[in-house]
């Protein structure tokens, strides 16, 4: 995707495309004008000798220390070097790409006082697919994502390592190979690069896009399970949804109706004497619909944050002012991530309950544990145990991170958001839910197989065919571990989004 950063907002679909497929970035004329105008004002401030935090002072509790003009570049580079103290596994290139893109967007708004050359250098890294090696741990999401963004900034000045085509390379070597030069930072530029919520926001955006993937697969799995247990589609009737009025519920019920429409299995038991199905079947619109509403809310928050200016201090050229505030505090991202964690956990919890239903012959009407010759074969018995373990693990991960604050920087930063962890842990939860839903897809496909020669709906039969290409019917005991991994990979690749595309926020913008 080619993206021109100028006057328009970056949309969710832009961000999803950049995350999934990559992006090339250029600056529009208006963006270049805004950047230059703010930078000229910073140059005037320095020339005039005014004291401005982070431009010619120390940082944090050392803000009272005045720095001489001949040390201002050294000050900015020292900031980058000293703050690059991240630890833990590296962020994926897809997340790093979003981080850099959103930093370009923020700096291009014209409130940061940096030079055009700096923003163009960051664009060049993106366009050459040079991704700074950013450790994932070490940010509390308060004065911006300082440590991880310092690792990003380090690549610009030729410090640290970068990843090129999946290989770690010293930053100076990668820059030289691409025909690029390390940047010599000017006043305020190190601080502008380090202050900001871009890492927390990128992690949360990646998580919300993955949530769309698993939610879509969970809707398909839920429709398949409903057919496998000969459940009723009456609870998905739009009249029921309309009298409650929640948008997510209405949308999910509509998707479920479409997925089940035309099923011979459903037609075969229209006159059966079952009155009601268990809640994991009957209440899918209410539960998954509420989760969809959470996703929509979180998407709204994150789109705003993706277009936000979150460094400090900020330059206001029209009023000739440099103001120090707190836009770097990532509380909006932390709260959104915590909210999303609840939805992720619930998607997995409901899927696990349907797996338990499928293997229970008393409730499902299917062979015990979905296998012929039960007793000799254990079937899906342990697959449900795995799903239960993962769903239970997610309960712990769903505990809110934003309520935990430890003061930092000698109590100057006395309240922090923990947004980076709040967003990062979502990916562990999503790994778990992808596996849970993969198990349900396999179990539901097995249940539907027992109804042959009756067939399900066209969309479900399409999925059945795809599943059987990577996982044959379960006729006798075998390990399902590799089958689960293969199906989970198709979920994480977004293969099921096309069945729910009309309700997914990043695909409707």
């Amino acid at each position: 995707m080619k993206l021109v950063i100028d006057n328009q907002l970056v949309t969710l679909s832009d961000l999803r495309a950049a995350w999934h497929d990559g992006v090339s970035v250029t600056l529009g004329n208006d963006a270049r004008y805004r950047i230059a105008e703010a930078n000229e004002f910073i140059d005037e401030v320095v020339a005039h000798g005014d004291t401005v935090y982070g431009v010619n002072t120390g940082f944090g509790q050392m803000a009272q220390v005045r720095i001489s003009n001949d040390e201002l570049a050294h000050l900015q580079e020292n900031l980058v070097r000293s703050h690059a103290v991240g630890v833990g596994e590296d962020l994926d290139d897809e997340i790093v790409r979003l981080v850099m893109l959103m930093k370009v967007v923020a700096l291009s708004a014209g409130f940061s006082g940096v030079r055009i050359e700096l923003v163009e250098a960051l664009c060049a890294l993106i366009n050459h697919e040079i991704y700074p090696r950013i450790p994932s741990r070490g940010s509390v999401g308060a004065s911006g994502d300082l440590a991880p963004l310092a690792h990003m900034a380090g690549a610009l000045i030729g410090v640290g390592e970068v990843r090129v085509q999946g290989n770690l390379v010293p930053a100076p070597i990668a820059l030289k190979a691409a025909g690029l030069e390390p940047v010599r930072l000017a006043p305020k530029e190190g601080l502008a690069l380090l202050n900001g919520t871009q890492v927390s926001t990128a992690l949360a955006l990646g998580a919300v896009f993955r949530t769309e993937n698993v939610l879509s697969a969970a809707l398909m799995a839920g429709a398949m399970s409903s057919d496998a247990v000969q459940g009723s589609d009456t609870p998905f009737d739009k009249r029921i949804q309309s009298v409650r009025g929640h948008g997510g519920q209405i949308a999910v019920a509509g998707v479920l109706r479409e997925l089940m429409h035309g099923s011979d299995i459903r037609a075969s038991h229209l006159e059966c004497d079952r009155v009601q199905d268990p809640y994991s079947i009957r209440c899918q619109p209410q539960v998954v619909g509420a989760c969809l509403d959470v996703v929509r809310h979180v998407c709204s928050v994150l789109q705003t944050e993706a277009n936000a200016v979150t460094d400090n201090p900020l330059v206001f050229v029209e009023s000739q002012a440099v103001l120090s505030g707190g836009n770097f505090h990532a509380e909006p991202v932390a709260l959104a991530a915590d909210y999303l964690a609840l939805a992720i956990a619930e998607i997995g919890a409901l899927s696990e309950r349907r797996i338990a239903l499928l293997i229970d012959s008393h409730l499902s009407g299917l062979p015990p544990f979905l296998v012929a010759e039960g007793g000799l074969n254990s079937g899906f018995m342990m697959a449900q145990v795995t799903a239960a373990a993962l769903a239970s693990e997610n309960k712990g991960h769903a505990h809110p991170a934003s309520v935990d604050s430890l003061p930092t920087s000698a109590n100057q930063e006395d309240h922090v958001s923990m947004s980076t962890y709040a967003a990062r842990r979502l990916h562990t939860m999503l790994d778990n839910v992808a596996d849970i839903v993969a198990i349900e897809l396999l179990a539901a496909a097995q249940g539907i197989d027992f109804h042959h020669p009756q067939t399900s709906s066209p969309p479900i039969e399409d999925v059945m065919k795809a599943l059987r290409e990577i996982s044959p019917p379960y006729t006798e005991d075998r390990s399902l571990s590799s089958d689960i991994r293969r199906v989970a990979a198709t979920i994480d690749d977004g293969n099921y989004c096309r069945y729910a595309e009309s309700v997914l926020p990043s695909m409707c913008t």
Side-chain angles (χ1 to χ4, degrees):
M1 180 183 68
K2 295 182 178 180
L3 195 58
V4 178
I5 306 299
D6 207 12
N7 297 316
Q8 76 285 3
L9 293 176
V10 177
T11 67
L12 283 173
S13 59
D14 292 334
L15 293 163
R16 183 173 178 117
W19 168 74
H20 189 269
D21 302 319
V23 64
S24 65
V25 186
T26 56
L27 299 177
N29 290 334
D30 288 346
R32 296 173 69 85
Y33 176 80
R34 291 192 299 267
I35 295 167
E37 190 177 38
N39 177 244
E40 288 173 9
F41 182 63
I42 287 294
D43 287 345
E44 291 172 8
V45 167
V46 172
H48 193 263
D50 296 339
T51 300
V52 178
Y53 171 74
V55 176
N56 48 20
T57 73
F59 306 100
Q61 279 213 337
M62 294 182 286
Q64 307 307 316
V65 179
R66 177 66 184 260
I67 309 299
S68 62
N69 282 5
D70 60 346
E71 291 284 7
L72 295 186
H74 192 196
L75 169 72
Q76 298 300 315
E77 292 189 3
N78 277 354
L79 179 70
V80 172
R81 294 173 188 271
S82 67
H83 282 53
V85 292
V87 297
E89 62 276 12
D90 296 342
L91 295 178
D92 292 338
D93 289 350
E94 294 83 1
I95 298 298
V96 174
R97 186 162 57 234
L98 279 179
V99 172
M100 293 193 291
L101 172 59
M102 288 187 290
K103 180 58 76 173
V104 169
V105 170
L107 297 179
S108 298
F111 298 100
S112 300
V114 302
R115 294 167 300 153
I116 291 174
E117 293 93 318
L118 180 73
V119 187
E120 287 182 329
L122 195 51
C123 291
L125 290 187
I126 298 172
N127 296 342
H128 284 87
E129 299 183 10
I130 299 172
Y131 302 118
R133 177 179 175 269
I134 302 180
S136 59
R137 300 168 187 245
S139 174
V140 295
S143 191
D145 290 313
L146 293 172
L149 286 172
H151 286 276
M152 181 203 75
L156 287 168
I157 65 172
V159 173
E161 294 179 304
V162 297
R163 191 171 280 105
V164 181
Q165 295 182 343
N167 299 311
L168 281 176
V169 182
I173 293 176
L175 292 175
K176 184 176 181 180
L180 305 175
E181 294 287 336
V183 174
R184 178 74 168 164
L185 295 177
K188 197 183 176 298
E189 290 185 340
L191 187 59
L193 289 169
L194 269 59
N195 270 168
T197 65
Q198 285 81 25
V199 173
S200 299
T201 306
L203 283 163
L205 280 167
V208 85
F209 299 147
R210 292 186 65 197
T211 303
E212 291 181 318
N213 293 347
V214 298
L215 187 147
S216 301
L219 288 176
M220 175 56 75
M224 290 173 64
S225 293
S226 298
D227 231 13
V229 301
Q230 294 188 312
S232 173
D233 57 1
T234 298
F236 311 148
D237 190 296
K238 62 182 178 182
R239 291 168 293 185
I240 295 173
Q241 326 313 319
S242 66
V243 297
R244 196 174 195 186
H246 291 295
Q249 177 180 334
I250 292 169
V252 163
V255 171
L256 289 169
R257 289 195 304 271
E258 291 175 7
L259 293 179
M260 295 184 69
H261 180 70
S263 168
D264 292 337
I265 298 173
R266 174 63 184 123
S268 71
H269 60 93
L270 286 172
E271 305 302 325
C272 71
D273 57 2
R274 184 187 298 176
V275 178
Q276 290 182 331
D277 296 314
Y279 288 1
S280 60
I281 298 294
R282 192 184 353 151
C283 297
Q284 290 181 77
Q286 290 76 14
V287 177
V288 185
C291 294
L292 177 58
D293 281 335
V294 171
V295 171
R296 288 171 167 174
H297 169 74
V298 170
C299 281
S300 175
V301 172
L302 296 181
Q303 182 173 1
T304 297
E305 194 72 5
N307 288 280
V309 180
T310 55
D311 60 293
N312 184 67
L314 297 177
V315 179
F316 295 91
V317 176
E318 286 189 10
S319 53
Q320 297 287 285
V322 181
L323 304 180
S324 188
N327 278 4
F328 48 62
H329 199 295
E331 192 78 1
V333 180
L335 292 174
D338 282 343
Y339 196 18
L340 185 59
L342 299 177
I344 293 168
E346 283 295 270
I347 293 168
L350 196 68
S351 179
E352 184 280 325
R353 287 292 80 204
R354 290 192 297 265
I355 298 167
L357 170 63
L358 286 162
I359 66 172
D360 185 341
S361 60
H362 299 292
L363 292 174
S364 69
L366 297 167
F369 302 105
L370 299 172
V371 67
E373 298 187 66
L376 175 63
N377 294 298
S378 295
F380 279 72
M381 180 188 297
M382 288 307 299
Q384 186 270 328
V385 173
T386 295
L390 297 174
S392 186
E393 184 179 306
N394 273 357
K395 295 175 187 177
H397 289 307
H399 185 277
S402 57
V403 298
D404 181 28
S405 175
L406 281 175
T408 61
S409 194
N411 283 311
Q412 176 75 9
E413 299 158 5
D414 59 350
H415 181 275
V416 302
S417 73
M418 297 307 300
S419 59
T420 321
Y421 168 69
R424 177 166 52 82
R425 66 62 149 92
L426 298 176
H427 293 272
T428 300
M429 298 181 70
L430 285 159
D431 289 342
N432 290 342
V433 176
D435 285 337
I436 294 169
V437 176
I439 293 169
E440 185 188 359
L441 286 165
L442 291 170
Q446 184 77 2
I448 288 173
D449 278 343
F450 283 115
H451 292 291
H452 285 172
Q454 292 174 342
T455 58
S456 189
S457 66
I460 290 176
E461 288 295 325
D462 285 345
V463 169
M464 290 283 293
K465 181 180 179 181
L467 287 170
R468 287 297 172 240
E469 290 176 356
I470 57 177
S471 177
Y474 195 103
T475 56
E476 59 181 359
D477 277 347
R478 70 173 196 270
S479 172
L480 280 173
S481 181
S482 59
D483 300 60
I484 294 166
R485 285 197 300 270
R486 286 193 294 269
V487 176
T490 68
I491 294 171
D492 220 25
D493 285 344
N495 289 12
Y496 294 86
C497 287
R498 62 193 178 100
Y499 298 106
E501 193 173 59
S502 62
V503 304
L504 301 179
S506 75
M507 297 186 176
C508 299
T509 58

